[in-house]
Amino acid sequence: MDTNQLEQNFDAKLARNESIEPKDWMPDNYRKHLIRQISQHAHSEIVGMLPEGNWITRAPSLRRKMVLLAKVQDEGGHGLYLYSAAETLNISREELIDQLLTGKAKYSSIFNYPSLTWADIGAIGWLVDGAAIMNQVMLQRTSYGPYARAMVRICKEESFHQRQGYEIMTVLAKGTAEQKAMAQDALNRWWWPSLMMFGPPDEKSPNTANAIKWKIKRETNDELRQKFVNQTFPQADIIGLKLPDPDLKWNESKGGFDFGTPNWEEFYNIIAGNGPCNKARISARTKAHNEGAWVREAANAYAEKKKAVLA
Ligand code: FAQ
């Protein structure tokens, strides 16, 4: 078949909502787009372990510590499924990790903020995992099969993460005046960065048009951000916390909230590598990668030996 026919078959599959599988023909730009998005997603899960990992040794009770430990481990697992999905697109794990550590690949802006108090762990679960699920539910129907299948389990776990964060915030908001103030302070600091997780406004998002055309994303950055605000306002209200946005008000005609504009200059500065924790995050990942070299060597030696025995 010539390229035209292959392209027509690919488009017809997408039109029938059939998934594209690793051995199927796909346009080179579709493959590149997926490697970019899936690997950024994988890196986000792995780097995302750091702000919460920071609190495992300081969780306020054994129960909280067990739950947080399990959550952080889940995020590591998500990273691994996603690296495996990216590898099916003909890129090696080494290359993917190298792109993260050398700054060629991005990871979510949100993980470049510090986790200053225990309430931040509540805010991360509630808002960051909440925004992640809002974005990722649609990815269970993304057009690339291995990515879609990885997202099914990830979404189930993220939904548990969101609830554990909301429960921490609920307990703090019902606690002493100091605890409630700590919860409100965490909400104030994590709210705007959570809105930025959805990416720049649609008219400034260079990748959205192709993502929608290829059914990689089923909804745009602005549509998902709007849904997130609509969902989160009543959750804050019910536990007596206030979203830190003076422009937030119900708009009857659109059936959703109007809200203020995130600081996009701060966002671009962070994704350029200049946020409060970018350097610390990459240096922690580089250290972990270097210290894990002997594990990779041992695993490879074992695989080589097994191959030789079987040959
Ligand atoms: N941070 O044209 P668009 C999680 C970049 S997982 C950094 O709109 P696109 C779980 C974008 O890459 C969180 N960079 O791009 C967890 C592009 O640059 P490039 C991660 C961002 O791809 C919870 C440029 O800006 N989730 O949190 C961001 O259509 C708790 C222009 O943007 C995913 O990755 C950002 N926020 O839309 C773990 C979900 N936004 O690549 C631990 C899958 C945009 O051209 C603890 N990804 N950029 O150089 C997606 O849905 C999309 O990739 C978006 C961006 C929505 C992130």
Side-chain angles (χ1 to χ4, degrees):
M1 270 195 259
D2 65 22
T3 312
N4 265 351
Q5 282 170 311
L6 289 166
E7 257 171 34
Q8 276 175 17
N9 285 355
F10 173 83
D11 291 342
K13 261 194 163 184
L14 288 182
R16 292 194 299 269
N17 272 326
E18 281 174 26
S19 62
I20 307 298
E21 295 298 333
K23 288 190 177 149
D24 293 344
W25 183 91
M26 60 187 83
D28 209 37
N29 284 339
Y30 175 81
R31 184 187 301 276
K32 284 192 188 135
H33 190 116
L34 280 169
I35 291 176
R36 180 190 63 82
Q37 177 168 326
I38 301 174
S39 67
Q40 283 181 11
H41 194 166
H43 301 326
S44 304
E45 302 279 359
I46 299 292
V47 177
M49 296 166 79
L50 296 169
E52 287 169 295
N54 183 34
W55 279 88
I56 291 172
T57 53
R58 289 177 284 156
S61 70
L62 183 60
R63 173 176 172 264
R64 292 289 185 207
K65 186 172 176 140
M66 283 160 55
V67 173
L68 184 59
L69 199 54
K71 183 208 188 280
V72 172
Q73 277 181 337
D74 285 351
E75 307 298 1
H78 299 172
L80 298 184
Y81 316 147
L82 290 165
Y83 282 129
S84 299
E87 282 174 300
T88 65
L89 291 156
N90 278 343
I91 182 159
S92 68
R93 182 81 60 105
E94 291 73 27
E95 221 176 316
L96 293 169
I97 304 290
D98 186 66
Q99 289 177 354
L100 169 68
L101 300 183
T102 56
K104 277 191 218 124
K106 295 189 170 71
Y107 58 89
S108 185
S109 49
I110 193 81
F111 301 118
N112 292 304
Y113 293 88
S115 49
L116 301 178
T117 70
W118 172 250
D120 287 25
I121 300 308
I124 292 174
W126 174 33
L127 303 173
V128 176
D129 285 277
I133 309 170
M134 186 57 81
N135 183 273
Q136 292 170 12
V137 164
M138 67 165 178
L139 294 175
Q140 296 176 99
R141 293 181 300 116
T142 190
S143 56
Y144 187 57
Y147 192 20
R149 290 188 286 275
M151 291 318 300
V152 173
R153 177 158 173 189
I154 292 179
C155 283
K156 287 205 173 98
E157 291 178 348
E158 297 293 21
S159 127
F160 152 70
H161 299 168
Q162 193 270 353
R163 282 186 223 168
Q164 69 85 36
Y166 188 57
E167 197 238 359
I168 293 175
M169 292 303 262
T170 306
V171 170
L172 289 174
K174 279 198 216 141
T176 62
E178 285 85 354
Q179 285 171 323
K180 186 168 183 188
M182 191 164 87
Q184 182 64 53
D185 169 64
L187 170 57
N188 294 348
R189 284 180 290 105
W190 288 91
W191 174 246
W192 293 105
S194 299
L195 293 191
M196 293 175 198
M197 281 176 72
F198 295 95
D202 292 351
E203 77 272 10
K204 299 222 167 97
S205 159
N207 300 301
T208 291
N210 275 340
I212 297 283
K213 176 178 88 178
W214 286 324
K215 299 191 174 175
I216 293 172
K217 294 206 287 207
R218 302 270 176 168
E219 290 169 89
T220 69
N221 300 356
D222 285 333
E223 285 165 355
L224 292 163
R225 193 171 7 252
Q226 178 71 57
K227 278 167 85 170
F228 177 70
V229 174
N230 294 349
Q231 171 186 283
T232 311
F233 177 85
Q235 293 173 348
D237 197 43
I238 212 164
I239 57 173
L241 297 180
K242 206 168 168 320
L243 301 184
D245 179 355
D247 295 328
L248 194 77
K249 62 171 191 306
W250 180 253
N251 179 333
E252 192 60 46
S253 63
K254 79 172 181 189
F257 286 90
D258 289 330
F259 55 97
T261 307
N263 182 344
W264 292 115
E265 203 183 315
E266 177 180 311
F267 168 80
Y268 286 114
N269 197 32
I270 285 190
I271 67 172
N274 304 318
C277 298
N278 294 60
K279 288 184 183 61
R281 300 296 184 231
I282 290 301
S283 112
R285 287 311 314 157
T286 306
K287 181 169 179 282
H289 186 68
N290 293 342
E291 288 175 359
W294 70 272
V295 180
R296 292 189 297 279
E297 272 165 33
N300 284 338
Y302 176 74
E304 288 303 317
K305 176 103 185 158
K306 201 165 154 197
K307 233 191 280 168
V309 169
L310 292 175

